[in-house]
């Protein structure tokens, strides 16, 4: 018997020693400092903070002015085809932002519902013991639509000289998009004109009843500042809302730094969950080289509203 006792004691000692090692390792892990942030994390945070600060400043400067831009030539009532297009787009945006249906299981003490015998017996036992029954033996499922986040839509309209022949369709497209989004509950829209400068067309929260016509004769484009102003006014890079940026332009930006700056902004918004659409005149989509966005051609905004709706839907549910 003695050797057996020694063997058992020896194995037990080894097991205890190993257990102590495991506990010591666990304790050391609990008190170990957290892993360091990536080397460039602080720099990225500072860069994002600076970008948001610039966007907010641009929004204050652009939307803080209430004077009418020189490019605006007047306002008019929408044509029937424009109003019909806005209604169609409203329905498409409402469907895209309606949220998904979720199945919820509900329990109760009384019918209707499916009886679960285990819970029924538990309730009977509680009553037999003189306790207040808490068991809920009946279950049923019901479907409900999960509310979708509110919609934010920014619209930037190019009024540079290369868009001169398309000024009318651009004005029409801007009104259709703003009008359609404005009909949705909790939606917030804003639109700007951009040429040499950036000018507010509709301020955040406005629902323009009339179409604003304008000319496109500017010598250059300030697309980067236009995107910044809309981002700062609507929070296009901030989570918690369904966000969409629509750039109505031939996307032929030639000012120094504009092409690279526009791509940088589009990519940032895309990565932040904001859908980006470039709406170009017929024939220009093939030469648009921007990525992280959808490029949609429109010979006539009212006629091509289905294509715009599909692009908006893809951007919002992506």
């Amino acid at each position: 018997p003695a050797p057996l006792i020694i063997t058992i004691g020896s194995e037990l000692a080894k097991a205890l020693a190993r257990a102590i090692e495991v506990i010591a390792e666990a304790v050391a892990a609990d008190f170990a400092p957290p892993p360091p942030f990536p080397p460039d994390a602080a720099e990225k945070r500072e860069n994002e903070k600076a970008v948001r600060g610039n966007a907010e400043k641009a929004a204050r400067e652009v939307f803080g002015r209430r004077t009418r831009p020189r490019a605006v030539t007047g306002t008019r009532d929408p044509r029937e085809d424009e109003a019909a297009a806005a209604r169609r787009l409203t329905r498409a945006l409402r469907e895209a932002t309606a949220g998904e249906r979720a199945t919820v299981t509900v329990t109760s003490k009384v019918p209707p519902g499916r009886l679960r015998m285990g819970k029924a017996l538990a309730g009977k036992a509680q009553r037999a013991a003189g306790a207040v029954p808490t068991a809920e033996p009946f279950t049923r499922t019901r479907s409900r639509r999960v509310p979708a986040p509110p919609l934010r839509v920014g619209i930037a309209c190019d009024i540079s000289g290369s868009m001169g022949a398309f000024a009318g369709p651009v004005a029409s497209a801007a009104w259709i998009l703003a009008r359609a989004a404005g009909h949705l509950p909790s939606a917030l829209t804003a639109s700007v004109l951009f040429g040499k400068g950036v000018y507010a067309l509709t301020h955040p929260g406005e629902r323009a009843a009339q179409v604003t016509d304008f000319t496109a004769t500017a010598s250059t484009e300030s697309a980067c500042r236009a995107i910044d102003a809309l981002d700062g006014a609507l929070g296009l890079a901030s989570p918690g809302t369904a966000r969409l940026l629509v750039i109505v332009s031939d996307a032929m930006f030639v000012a120094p730094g504009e092409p690279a700056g526009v791509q940088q902004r589009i990519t940032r918004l895309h990565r932040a969950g904001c859908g980006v659409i470039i709406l170009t005149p017929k024939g220009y989509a093939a030469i648009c080289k921007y990525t992280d966005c959808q490029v949609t051609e429109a010979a006539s905004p009212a006629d091509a509203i289905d294509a715009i709706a599909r692009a908006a839907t893809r951007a919002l549910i992506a």
Side-chain angles (χ1 to χ4, degrees), residues 48-90:
E48 179 63 19
K49 183 178 179 181
V51 169
R52 294 197 178 199
N54 289 336
E56 291 170 359
K57 180 182 178 182
R60 288 193 301 269
E61 293 174 351
V62 170
F63 291 104
R65 298 192 300 264
R66 288 284 176 175
T67 56
R68 193 171 81 167
R70 291 182 179 180
V72 171
T73 57
T75 58
R76 60 175 174 82
D77 292 333
R79 298 188 301 268
E80 180 53 37
D81 62 332
E82 292 170 330
R87 290 192 293 269
R88 294 206 310 276
L89 184 55
T90 296

Side-chain angles (χ1 to χ4, degrees), residues 171-198:
S172 178
W175 182 86
I176 290 170
L177 288 162
R179 186 69 173 176
H183 277 297
L184 301 180
S186 302
L188 193 65
T189 68
S191 59
V192 298
L193 305 176
F194 67 92
K196 188 175 182 179
V198 180

